[in-house]
Amino acid sequence: MFSTLPRLAAVALVGVDMANAAYSIATVADIKKSSADIAFDMMQYYKGNLTGQTPGILPGPPPAGDYYWWEAGAMWGALIDYWRFTGDASYNDVITQALLWQVGPGQDYMPLNVTASLGNDDQGFWGMTAMTAAENNFPNPPSDQPQWLGLAQAVFNTQANPDRHDKTCNGGLRWQIPPLNNGYNYKNSIANGCFFNLGARLARYTGNKTYADWAETTWDWMRGVGLMDDKYNIHDGAHVETNCTDINGAQFSYNVGVFVLGAAHMYNYTDGSPVWKDRLDKLLNATLVRFFPDNIAFEPACEDQMSCTTDMLSFKGYVHRWLSITTLVAPHTAPVILPVLKTSAEAAVQTCTGEQNGRMCGFSWKKKKYDGSHGVGQQMNVLGAVSSLLIEQPGKAPVTNSTGGTSKGNPNAGSQSDSFTHNKPMTTADKAGAGIVTFLVAASALGTFVWMGIGK
């Protein structure tokens, strides 16, 4: 495994104080204090720890509330990183309760109450959060409960099952898991990106080549089907009815972010392979050019028109965190990434002057002022940007089972999971309905986002 190298202290991430912002990021202490306040305000949206509420989920899904199941899983990952970066354990018990409550009967992050909208990407985000817990040595659950590494392996194993990889489009995961769900006929980048990311990280953590082989296969499939093009643009997805030739060209930052972090782990796992270095560097360059104009995080598919769905309002924070961790497992990227993240975080905190408390964060960071858009995603974005400024403080890369990792694995996890093969295939009426949505996707920019809102 490729060892991490010391980085020059010249790449400083602190030292900026914005006079008109509610938060300062001038010093390490300021960053920790600002992160704590941002996290507190984010958690005011969470009701799962109140009497009569369901642990682990945010208010939703629509119309019951704004948030789909996957975003809560992503939020717990952000809070695990927050704990690691700042040392603040205030939310650790809530995080543990949430992650264990939502495992489902197969202990694979497929709880029955989300079956009607369960996607490979949804399950994948919870699996990546479990992997983050293992890599960060987040306090382990009681011994009679599923363990973080085992949960990540369960998600991976269910997604590696042949039932999930049919011959349409020459392979690749579909967006949705149950065949009856809207979107089952769509193969998309984020579902395959989560699988790739998890495989690469499991390969590095365990040293097991099987995970790496799946990551290689997934990367090759993305390139072969055209969802990742020769310029390293990553497109949203395509439909199985056309053998994935009707590529939806919408580009979202979390698609590239999830692949950058996975590629960085493959680079590390392969001891700095020139092949993976080339892939990582080209994908990273494309990411920074398209999604960080003027070195500020930007969501080009929807930000200028403010047509972003609730899901899309949360993407920036994941990318900030994933890029920061990339600098630890692929240290040569640090001089390129860290200055960009610093500038972007400076812009982010300038949006945090909104609402009655005078410190809620907005969405459009390039405006450098509050834009009236607030919610879990907006807070989580800035939390990720600010807390990850401390990436160098821990002084080491995420652990593995040979470098101090304590989470127990279960290579057979997920073997008793529901394959959903007992469900009937899509009928002609189902396909006709999906075809209508496909038409909407092609018809307008707003239609592009239908796939992000259905089944999440």
Side-chain angles (χ1 to χ4, degrees):
M1 184 177 299
F2 188 68
S3 63
T4 55
L5 301 174
R7 283 172 289 160
L8 297 177
V11 184
L13 287 179
V14 296
V16 176
D17 194 354
M18 311 308 297
N20 296 322
Y23 296 121
S24 171
I25 55 175
T27 67
V28 168
D30 287 341
I31 292 171
K32 290 183 177 182
K33 176 62 168 62
S34 295
S35 296
D37 289 344
I38 295 166
F40 177 85
D41 289 342
M42 179 181 73
M43 288 298 287
Q44 301 315 297
Y45 291 92
Y46 177 65
K47 310 300 180 185
N49 55 347
L50 300 179
T51 302
Q53 301 298 310
T54 303
I57 63 173
L58 290 163
D66 291 338
Y67 303 98
Y68 288 100
W69 178 69
W70 78 275
E71 190 164 340
M75 184 181 76
W76 304 122
L79 285 171
I80 291 172
D81 275 344
Y82 164 76
W83 162 75
R84 178 181 177 233
F85 294 147
T86 68
D88 180 7
S90 299
Y91 304 107
N92 285 14
D93 289 345
V94 176
I95 295 167
T96 298
Q97 179 196 44
L99 292 180
L100 295 180
W101 195 276
Q102 293 295 321
V103 296
Q107 298 185 355
D108 51 13
Y109 287 119
M110 293 195 293
L112 297 177
N113 63 326
V114 300
T115 300
S117 61
L118 181 62
N120 280 297
D121 53 344
D122 305 305
Q123 183 195 25
F125 262 90
W126 285 84
M128 290 190 297
T129 288
M131 193 71 224
T132 296
E135 292 168 332
N136 288 342
N137 266 342
F138 188 71
N140 292 316
S143 59
D144 62 342
Q145 297 293 315
Q147 303 298 300
W148 308 133
L149 179 59
L151 285 167
Q153 290 172 311
V155 171
F156 181 87
N157 289 343
T158 61
Q159 296 193 350
N161 189 302
D163 290 334
R164 303 259 184 118
H165 296 264
D166 56 57
K167 295 181 180 179
T168 60
C169 307
N170 200 32
L173 288 173
R174 293 175 181 250
W175 173 29
Q176 292 291 296
I177 300 173
L180 298 182
N181 285 8
N182 286 322
Y184 182 72
N185 63 331
Y186 195 62
K187 293 194 173 185
N188 65 354
S189 294
I190 191 57
N192 288 279
C194 291
F195 183 58
F196 168 75
N197 180 292
L198 199 50
R201 292 162 68 183
L202 282 167
R204 178 181 177 273
Y205 191 98
T206 67
N208 188 328
K209 185 175 180 293
T210 300
Y211 298 121
D213 289 344
W214 269 111
E216 289 268 9
T217 297
T218 304
W219 179 279
D220 291 345
W221 180 82
M222 286 286 296
R223 295 284 286 125
V225 80
L227 292 183
M228 183 189 299
D229 66 25
D230 290 341
K231 296 181 179 179
Y232 289 83
N233 297 305
I234 297 183
H235 308 290
D236 188 66
H239 296 91
V240 299
E241 296 91 338
T242 69
N243 199 35
C244 293
T245 59
D246 65 332
I247 291 176
N248 175 353
Q251 297 184 50
F252 301 100
S253 63
Y254 77 156
N255 281 335
V256 292
V258 78
F259 275 97
V260 167
L261 183 60
H265 277 77
M266 288 300 292
Y267 167 79
N268 188 288
Y269 168 77
T270 57
D271 295 322
S273 156
V275 171
W276 278 106
K277 182 179 186 299
D278 181 67
R279 292 171 173 176
L280 170 60
D281 291 350
K282 288 178 178 176
L283 182 58
L284 175 60
N285 179 68
T287 300
L288 297 180
V289 168
R290 181 161 185 81
F291 296 98
F292 286 84
D294 299 319
N295 291 351
I296 298 172
F298 176 69
E299 204 61 53
C302 63
E303 185 168 330
D304 279 338
Q305 300 79 25
M306 280 307 294
S307 58
C308 304
T309 65
T310 299
D311 290 350
M312 299 169 199
L313 293 171
S314 70
F315 294 170
K316 293 178 183 179
Y318 314 140
V319 178
H320 259 261
R321 288 168 43 223
W322 293 337
L323 289 180
S324 71
I325 296 165
T326 291
T327 69
L328 295 179
V329 293
H332 74 275
T333 64
V336 176
I337 291 174
L338 296 182
V340 174
L341 297 187
K342 173 186 172 184
T343 299
S344 188
E346 291 168 4
V349 295
Q350 292 183 71
T351 73
C352 300
T353 59
E355 304 308 306
Q356 292 184 349
N357 65 6
R359 66 183 195 189
M360 297 303 288
C361 301
F363 174 69
S364 186
W365 296 354
K366 68 176 185 176
K367 295 179 180 178
K368 300 183 181 180
K369 62 181 181 180
Y370 183 63
D371 59 1
S373 176
H374 59 93
V376 173
Q378 295 88 326
Q379 292 297 122
M380 185 165 33
N381 287 340
V382 183
L383 177 63
V386 173
S387 63
S388 63
L389 293 177
L390 301 171
I391 190 67
E392 292 184 298
Q393 298 303 307
K396 58 184 179 181
V399 299
T400 70
N401 62 6
S402 62
T403 62
T406 61
S407 187
K408 293 183 179 180
N410 178 7
N412 298 316
S415 60
Q416 303 302 313
S417 296
D418 188 345
S419 67
F420 296 100
T421 55
H422 56 279
N423 289 332
K424 66 179 182 179
M426 292 180 69
T427 65
T428 301
D430 293 326
K431 292 178 180 178
I436 293 170
V437 177
T438 303
F439 173 78
L440 292 174
V441 169
S444 69
L446 180 61
T448 299
F449 306 144
V450 170
W451 289 109
M452 304 299 294
I454 296 177
K456 279 287 189 197

